[in-house]
Amino acid sequence: MKNKLVKRVAALLAVAVMGMSVVACGGGNGTEATASAALTEEEYVAKTTELAESMTNVMTEAASLDTSDAEAAKEFIEGLKAPFVEFASLQAPEKYAEAQAKYKSGSEAMIKYLDMMVEMLDPAKAAEADTEALMELLTTIQTDFTEAANLMSAAGN
């Protein structure tokens, strides 16, 4: 089951990274910015590119995860949430506001999904897993990241 869990998490990250790949193609100046104020267009594109790269790196790390070590798997999954938490908190400029709303929704769904995956590492809780809720989260994640990528692409033109 743990191996299956890692594969599910990796698949979701792939969806998220693909959805953000449009952002990575948009360039940017690499400027760091805080999430407390709206970012400039260049800062926003740079930050989303940085976060997409972070998610790609995590996918690479997932391949080497020892699925027989439940504690390591929990720690790894908890660590996966960081870029999504940061991404959800970004304050996009007006040009990208609609895309950011979708990225935020997808990121929040991913965080909930990851929380459920951590709970499922406990065999007693795995038996009680709400598979319907998991499937709804998967759909939300995929839909929101795909729509956000399309909105980013349209805003960049």
Side-chain angles (χ1 to χ4, degrees), residues 61-125:
E61 293 171 19
S64 64
L65 183 65
D66 178 5
T67 57
S68 64
D69 184 350
E71 286 306 310
K74 284 180 185 179
E75 185 176 317
F76 178 78
I77 293 170
E78 286 294 332
L80 291 177
K81 294 192 295 187
F84 293 101
V85 169
E86 185 175 358
F87 201 46
S89 70
L90 291 179
Q91 298 296 314
E94 184 64 34
K95 180 176 180 178
Y96 298 114
E98 193 175 355
Q100 177 58 28
K102 287 292 183 181
Y103 278 137
K104 180 178 181 178
S105 175
S107 293
E108 290 171 346
M110 178 63 100
I111 293 163
K112 287 178 189 174
Y113 183 88
L114 293 172
D115 286 341
M116 290 177 79
M117 291 292 105
V118 167
E119 285 183 20
M120 289 177 61
L121 287 171
D122 177 350
K125 292 183 180 179

